[in-house]
Amino acid sequence: MTAVAFSQPDAGWASPALTGLAASIATNVVTTVKNAGANAPRSLQRVIGPSEIGTPCVRRLAYKLCDWPQVNTDGDPWASIIGTAVHSWMEDTFRAENERLGQERYVIERRLQIRGNIHGNADLFDRATGTNIDWKCVGEDRLKKYRKNGPGDQYRVQAHLYGLGQENAGETVNDVSVVFLPRGGRIDGLHVWCEPYNRQVALDALQRLDHVLTLLHQPQFDPGQNPQAFGSFPASDAFCTFCPWFQPGSTDPSKGCPGAA
């Protein structure tokens, strides 16, 4: 799967069947949506967050920690925009549920301090069960994959980091959960993954992060002194297409990663 780019708005991005006013409307909508998506708060984030710490790709982690210039910026933001809208709707829904219950059973969109300057916004914490819940809005293929294989390391680590953040905020955390909401189809087609909260999972992820940071401060691995150093960090096939530093065919890791071999 390749990222879709709309670099020639005058020509219209859409099907050849769209001409005249229809093509102009389509191009305008796509351009406006892409510009808004690129400037959304999550898109402009610079400090590493819980959702990125658990990436299986150490090279991607190194790029992020160096705040290295991104090269893969023409992706379609629509899935992210849908996810943001769903998160907002769920936030309103559970606030209304708290009002109906007459108590704050659900802690919603809480800003958590994981450690030092590492923060994250947790979607939902259910005090009745001691469970941190994270929403993920996914397509049908991803939903089937997560139903069969679980959430993968990145989402699992993120869940436990949020658990650590909730613990730091004074909550009693029993379990962590990821709720995969279908981007299409029916709400009862969702998939829920959960497991007991394990502080060590979060601490191990932070230790891995520290290890990469330590390497980046050594001259031979410092991209500022040796731009080829990114090639020393192992790459893994973790959604390469959507990685901000993915550059197919690149032979210079300072200008983009060709992906995992």
Side-chain angles (χ1 to χ4, degrees):
M1 182 177 180
T2 57
V4 180
F6 306 112
S7 57
Q8 297 180 343
D10 291 340
W13 68 273
S15 157
L18 291 181
T19 59
L21 179 60
S24 176
I25 291 172
T27 300
N28 184 55
V29 169
V30 169
T31 301
T32 302
V33 167
K34 288 191 68 178
N35 287 339
N39 289 284
R42 289 178 185 235
S43 299
L44 296 177
Q45 176 180 299
R46 286 293 177 265
V47 178
I48 195 164
S51 64
E52 300 160 304
I53 291 174
T55 176
C57 184
V58 180
R59 187 177 299 171
R60 180 169 180 169
L61 193 58
Y63 280 123
K64 177 65 182 181
L65 288 171
C66 292
D67 196 18
W68 207 252
Q70 298 180 3
V71 296
N72 184 21
T73 58
D74 286 330
D76 187 340
W78 190 238
S80 176
I81 291 169
I82 293 173
T84 299
V86 169
H87 274 71
S88 179
W89 194 91
M90 296 296 270
E91 178 182 354
D92 291 342
T93 297
F94 280 88
R95 287 195 192 283
E97 181 65 4
N98 277 343
E99 292 181 8
R100 186 188 72 81
L101 294 171
Q103 59 176 304
E104 193 181 24
R105 170 177 174 173
Y106 300 105
V107 183
I108 305 160
E109 287 293 333
R110 171 188 264 166
R111 181 73 168 169
L112 298 174
Q113 182 179 35
I114 310 301
R115 187 196 69 182
N117 69 338
I118 300 175
H119 298 80
N121 278 25
D123 294 336
L124 195 75
F125 184 78
D126 184 354
R127 283 177 165 154
T129 61
T131 305
N132 190 82
I133 298 171
D134 195 42
W135 311 121
K136 301 293 182 188
C137 193
V138 299
E140 182 179 356
D141 290 343
R142 291 288 175 197
L143 189 62
K144 289 179 180 178
K145 177 182 177 181
Y146 296 132
R147 196 186 303 277
K148 180 180 179 182
N149 302 321
D153 289 341
Q154 185 164 355
Y155 288 164
R156 179 172 180 260
V157 166
Q158 181 185 9
H160 287 279
L161 286 168
Y162 282 144
L164 177 61
Q166 297 286 9
E167 191 175 48
N168 291 340
E171 302 290 351
T172 299
V173 186
N174 299 319
D175 299 280
V176 295
S177 177
V178 180
V179 178
F180 295 98
L181 302 167
R183 200 176 295 143
R186 295 164 53 98
I187 185 60
D188 56 13
L190 58 72
H191 172 63
V192 178
W193 169 88
C194 57
E195 71 178 19
Y197 166 57
N198 185 342
R199 184 186 305 110
Q200 195 60 47
V201 173
L203 296 179
D204 287 347
L206 293 171
Q207 185 178 46
R208 172 177 177 256
L209 178 72
D210 290 341
H211 181 59
V212 176
L213 276 169
T214 299
L215 288 175
L216 288 169
H217 281 89
Q218 297 180 13
Q220 66 268 41
F221 295 112
D222 180 358
Q225 300 182 49
N226 174 21
Q228 298 298 315
F230 284 118
S232 301
F233 294 89
S236 68
D237 186 9
F239 308 118
C240 283
T241 302
F242 302 101
C243 175
W245 297 278
F246 180 53
Q247 185 70 36
S250 173
T251 57
D252 183 349
S254 71
K255 297 180 180 178
C257 175

